[in-house]
Amino acid sequence: MFLEDTIKHSKKGGWIEVICGSMFSGKTEELIRRLRRAEFARLRVEIFKPKIDVRYSEEHVVSHDENSISSTAVDSAQNILLLSGDVDVVGIDEAQFFDNGLVEVCNTLANSGLRVIVAGLDMDFRGKPFGPIPSLLAIAEYVTKVHAICVRCGSLANHSHRTSEDEKLVVLGETNIYEPLCRKCYQDDLSAEKKRKR
Ligand code: ZN
């Protein structure tokens, strides 16, 4: 588990943490856990998410266990800069949906002394690195990869497998068309699909 007291930074320096993984891996829960602890420490916390993610609520980051914390939806990564004056910790949820400008924004925030905690999907449903997440992993001081459980075999799952035929990258409001799969089960499913299409 990530513990803040293992961080040996100078008091004035900021840093970047990334929490990544597949769907149903507990990314948002982990983000909320860290932000709550920052609030307990009387730090000023602000949370952002992309406007595109309106699955449950306009004002709240909501994880699947309904453990929520209030947040602001923004149009672009640049708006995070404008809205994070006067805070100590910035949380960013569903970061994969932001443009690549998010990388520079996170650097700017951390350089100015803020703690930045980013949560997002590392891979899309095709198994390809998702949006700005790969670059964020490269520049972050701390990376936590969380896993779901494969619904077919019970191993650790790293894939968000889409059970519908829709090829669009973002299907809004449709968490029920995804299932977590491990590498082996995901590959088995791909080859079965290829055979079907032949
Ligand atoms: Zn499996």
Side-chain angles (χ1 to χ4, degrees):
M1 188 183 283
F2 183 92
L3 288 174
E4 295 81 353
D5 57 12
T6 58
I7 297 175
K8 297 272 186 286
H9 287 277
S10 79
K11 281 257 183 271
K12 283 183 186 145
W15 68 87
I16 300 170
E17 299 161 32
V18 175
I19 305 160
C20 68
S22 68
M23 292 180 74
F24 314 108
S25 62
K27 298 179 300 295
T28 301
E29 288 88 342
E30 177 60 14
L31 174 67
I32 289 170
R33 188 186 72 83
R34 293 185 194 183
L35 292 171
R36 283 250 158 81
R37 288 163 66 85
E39 282 182 334
F40 292 147
R42 301 192 191 287
L43 294 169
R44 292 160 300 178
V45 171
E46 195 71 54
I47 306 138
F48 301 98
K49 63 177 183 178
K51 271 235 166 85
I52 195 170
D53 182 51
V54 289
R55 277 183 301 198
Y56 301 100
S57 154
E58 283 290 324
E59 289 101 36
H60 291 86
V61 170
V62 179
S63 64
H64 298 289
D65 67 357
E66 299 191 356
N67 189 2
S68 72
I69 196 163
S70 100
S71 77
T72 309
V74 290
D75 284 324
S76 78
Q78 284 300 322
N79 288 347
I80 297 175
L81 275 187
L82 299 175
L83 296 168
S84 37
D86 225 31
V87 297
D88 306 301
V89 183
V90 169
I92 301 165
D93 199 22
E94 302 287 356
Q96 74 278 357
F97 291 140
F98 278 107
D99 54 279
N100 276 319
L102 183 64
V103 180
E104 214 33 62
V105 166
C106 289
N107 260 334
T108 304
L109 292 170
N111 291 348
S112 63
L114 272 67
R115 176 183 175 193
V116 183
I117 315 173
V118 186
L121 283 172
D122 46 11
M123 289 189 278
D124 63 25
F125 71 98
R126 296 188 199 93
K128 298 281 184 288
F130 208 150
I133 300 293
S135 306
L136 287 165
L137 291 173
I139 63 161
E141 275 89 341
Y142 303 98
V143 172
T144 305
K145 186 147 178 164
V146 286
H147 296 91
I149 299 296
C150 177
V151 291
R152 304 217 179 138
C153 76
S155 308
L156 287 181
N158 61 332
H159 284 282
S160 310
H161 178 244
R162 185 177 285 179
T163 54
S164 88
E165 300 278 295
D166 199 327
E167 286 298 308
K168 269 190 307 189
L169 197 55
V170 179
V171 179
L172 287 175
E174 297 290 341
T175 50
N176 56 336
I177 62 161
Y178 296 94
E179 60 183 8
L181 291 183
C182 71
R183 180 183 292 272
K184 174 79 170 61
C185 293
Y186 183 78
Q187 290 305 321
D188 288 352
D189 197 274
L190 278 189
S191 19
E193 200 172 301
K194 267 185 203 145
K195 267 186 203 149
R196 267 203 312 276
K197 283 183 178 164
R198 238 180 250 150

